[in-house]
């Protein structure tokens, strides 16, 4: 009886030891520069353990989630992994990022196993800090909700690989990213071209709109051969000008752009009135966009509208996020004044669509305007009453 108990105790101790070791697997992650894109390299940091090739995430990468560690918004990526039965590491490629940023990664969709195929426990959430390679102040690029799925890799010029930077390196306050190596080239003003500005990102998928519609392709490029996104911009911009929209802002969306109008006051039927662009508001101690909008809504009751055109080849579904007047402020004022060349030179292929999103607000004259959900009129009616549909028809 005693030998039997000893054998059972010995077997149980081996089982518990094996379970404990299998449950204590650490994953390490770091930013590294691939041939085309920045990568987050994720590795099993224990000998004898690997990532199984039948991990559910390899069939459905949506099971892996990547978010901005500061704003907690989704960040687009593509999963790269080796095809062998088991591998020690996987890579997450980020075609959208020109520089790394601090991100949170949830790896619930992968399976870690030992050499005998037994599953092991591991921490599913990792924080990968933006590496710091310089003492200079660095500004982290703005991050917006982008669709992390169905991403099309854009062609990029070859870049010499850089060494991996450990994820444990502390970031600058507010996050940071390594500066580009400027080398010994000409200074701006001495014959070198001015650097392109950071392209602000429009929320993608877009927030819930009050109304929407799709612009027919023939109104944008008609029979034009080999149209580019800049051709679509030209048509939309001419329509804006004809309809009196003096200001507009450009933003990037996956493989395309968004163009936002200025805020305008409208009638209940979507038409505009004599006070469309009026700046007559309550007196302000100092000017700012926030104080302007507050004074505008405080003084004038009525309906207000921001029109956003989204041109992309990525199907999207509007999110449940509701827009407020502060976001309207950022769309109207925080974008670029023209479409960047690297976006405009993209081909406007048949899989692209142009969607108009109308964000409508209603003010009773007592303060901040309320988002209208949904609009009492359709997106098509908004286009007609604003004059944009007729202007698009005449710009072909």
């Amino acid at each position: 009886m005693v030998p039997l108990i000893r054998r059972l105790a010995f077997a149980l101790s081996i089982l518990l030891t094996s379970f404990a070791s299998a449950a204590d697997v650490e994953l390490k992650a770091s930013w590294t520069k691939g041939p085309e894109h920045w990568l987050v390299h994720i590795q099993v940091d224990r000998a004898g353990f690997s990532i199984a090739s039948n991990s559910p995430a390899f069939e459905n990468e949506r099971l892996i989630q990547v978010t901005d560690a500061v704003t907690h918004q989704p960040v687009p990526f593509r999963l790269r992994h080796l095809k062998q039965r088991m591998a020690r590491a996987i890579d997450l490629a980020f075609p959208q990022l020109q520089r790394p940023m601090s991100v949170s990664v949830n790896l619930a969709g992968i399976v870690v196993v030992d050499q005998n195929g037994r599953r092991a426990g591991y921490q599913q959430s990792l924080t990968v800090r933006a590496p710091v390679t310089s003492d200079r102040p660095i500004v982290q690029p703005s991050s917006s909700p982008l669709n992390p799925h169905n991403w099309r890799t854009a062609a990029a010029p070859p870049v010499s690989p850089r060494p991996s930077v450990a994820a444990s390196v502390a970031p600058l306050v507010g996050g940071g990213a390594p500066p580009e190596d400027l080398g010994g080239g000409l200074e701006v003003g001495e014959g070198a071209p001015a650097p392109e500005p950071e392209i602000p990102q429009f929320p993608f998928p877009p927030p819930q709109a009050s109304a929407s519609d799709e612009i027919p392709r023939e109104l944008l490029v008609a029979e034009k051969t080999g149209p580019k996104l800049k051709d679509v911009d030209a048509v939309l911009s001419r329509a804006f000008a004809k309809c009196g929209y003096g200001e507009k802002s450009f933003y990037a969306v996956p493989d395309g752009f968004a163009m936002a109008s200025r805020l305008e006051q409208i009638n209940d039927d979507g038409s505009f009135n004599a006070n469309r662009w009026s700046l007559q508001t309550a007196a302000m101690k100092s000017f700012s966009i926030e104080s302007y909008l507050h004074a505008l809504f405080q003084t004038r009751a009525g309906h207000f509208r921001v029109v956003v055109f989204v041109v992309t080849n990525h199907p999207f579904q509007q999110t449940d996020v509701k827009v407020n007047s502060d976001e309207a402020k950022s769309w109207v004022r925080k974008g670029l004044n023209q479409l960047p060349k690297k976006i405009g030179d993209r081909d406007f292929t048949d899989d692209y669509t142009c969607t108009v999103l109308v964000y409508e607000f209603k003010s009773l004259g007592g303060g901040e305007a309320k988002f209208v959900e949904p609009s009492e009129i359709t997106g098509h009616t908004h286009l007609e009453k604003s004059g944009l549909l007729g202007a698009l028809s005449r710009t072909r």
Side-chain angles (χ1 to χ4, degrees):
M1 184 66 179
V2 174
L4 177 60
I5 294 177
R6 288 178 177 174
R7 287 197 296 270
L8 289 174
F10 178 73
L12 181 60
S13 66
I14 293 177
L15 178 61
L16 291 176
T17 301
S18 174
F19 178 79
S21 64
D24 189 22
V25 176
E26 183 180 1
L27 300 181
K28 286 191 174 182
S30 61
W31 281 102
T32 185
K33 192 67 175 72
E36 296 180 350
H37 312 298
W38 280 101
L39 309 171
V40 167
H41 183 72
I42 301 171
Q43 181 174 341
V44 180
D45 192 39
R46 184 167 182 177
F49 291 88
S50 306
I51 299 173
S53 61
N54 61 351
S55 296
F58 295 163
E59 299 296 329
N60 181 10
E61 67 179 18
R62 297 187 182 202
L63 296 177
I64 296 178
Q65 298 178 343
V66 181
T67 58
D68 186 323
V70 177
T71 65
H72 307 293
Q73 300 293 349
V75 180
F77 72 94
R78 296 194 67 178
L79 176 62
R80 294 179 177 177
H81 62 92
L82 300 178
K83 300 299 184 181
Q84 61 256 42
R85 189 173 65 88
M86 291 186 293
R88 291 286 302 277
I90 60 173
D91 289 326
L92 307 181
F94 294 83
Q96 176 69 10
L97 297 185
Q98 296 181 352
R99 299 178 179 179
M101 60 194 296
S102 295
V103 295
S104 298
V105 182
N106 187 292
L107 296 165
I110 70 170
V111 175
V112 177
V113 296
D114 63 13
Q115 292 176 332
N116 296 317
R118 293 175 297 189
R119 291 196 176 197
Y122 63 95
Q123 84 281 20
Q124 295 183 354
S125 297
L126 299 173
T127 298
V128 190
R129 301 294 183 184
V132 177
T133 60
S134 173
D135 294 330
R136 295 186 301 167
I138 300 169
V139 179
Q140 177 173 319
S142 60
S143 177
S144 301
L146 298 173
N147 185 1
H149 315 304
N150 302 325
W151 187 268
R152 294 194 175 191
T153 305
V159 180
S160 300
R162 299 181 183 177
S164 172
V165 183
S168 60
V169 176
L172 295 176
V173 176
E180 296 294 332
D181 183 7
L182 299 180
L186 294 173
E187 296 291 334
V188 175
E190 297 182 358
E196 285 196 10
E198 292 284 352
I199 304 175
Q201 305 290 323
F202 191 79
F204 196 90
Q208 178 182 353
S210 303
S212 63
D213 198 13
E214 185 173 322
I215 307 300
R217 185 179 178 86
E218 57 269 21
L219 294 184
L220 299 172
V221 294
E223 302 299 325
K224 188 176 182 64
T225 302
K228 305 285 186 180
L229 295 192
K230 60 186 177 184
D231 298 317
V232 178
D233 163 35
V235 172
L236 295 177
S237 293
R238 284 198 296 269
F240 261 41
K242 289 181 178 180
C243 294
Y245 290 91
E247 299 176 46
K248 60 183 182 295
S249 293
F250 291 91
Y251 298 86
V253 297
D255 290 332
F257 70 92
M259 188 173 74
S261 76
R262 63 186 296 191
L263 187 74
E264 61 177 321
Q265 185 168 9
I266 60 175
N267 299 315
D268 292 349
D269 65 352
S271 61
F272 50 85
N273 54 41
N275 294 324
R276 182 185 188 187
W277 309 120
S278 175
L279 298 180
Q280 295 178 0
T281 63
M284 296 177 286
K285 294 181 180 180
S286 61
F287 180 82
S288 70
I289 297 302
E290 291 88 348
S291 59
Y292 167 74
L293 287 176
H294 180 77
L296 177 68
F297 297 140
Q298 182 76 29
T299 305
R300 290 160 52 188
H303 287 256
F304 300 84
R305 173 177 64 201
V306 171
V307 178
V308 180
F309 289 100
V310 178
V311 181
T312 180
N313 58 357
H314 292 264
F316 61 84
Q317 183 179 34
Q318 298 171 34
T319 68
D320 294 329
V321 176
K322 295 182 180 178
V323 179
N324 55 41
S325 58
D326 287 338
E327 289 175 279
K329 169 258 307 183
S330 67
W331 294 350
V332 174
R333 300 290 183 179
K334 299 297 184 180
L336 298 182
N337 65 334
Q338 61 183 13
L339 185 66
K341 185 176 185 300
K342 61 183 177 182
I343 295 180
D345 286 342
R346 288 180 177 271
D347 292 328
F348 185 63
T349 52
D350 291 339
D351 56 342
Y352 273 84
T353 60
C354 178
T355 304
V356 61
L357 303 174
V358 179
Y359 294 89
E360 185 178 343
F361 305 91
K362 183 177 182 180
S363 172
L364 300 178
E368 187 171 317
K370 181 181 179 182
F371 175 68
V372 177
E373 175 206 0
S375 176
E376 295 182 358
I377 58 178
T378 65
H380 188 81
T381 301
H382 274 286
L383 283 174
E384 285 184 327
K385 295 294 185 177
S386 66
L388 287 170
L389 188 59
L392 287 171
S393 300
R394 293 192 297 270
T395 55
R396 287 182 295 176

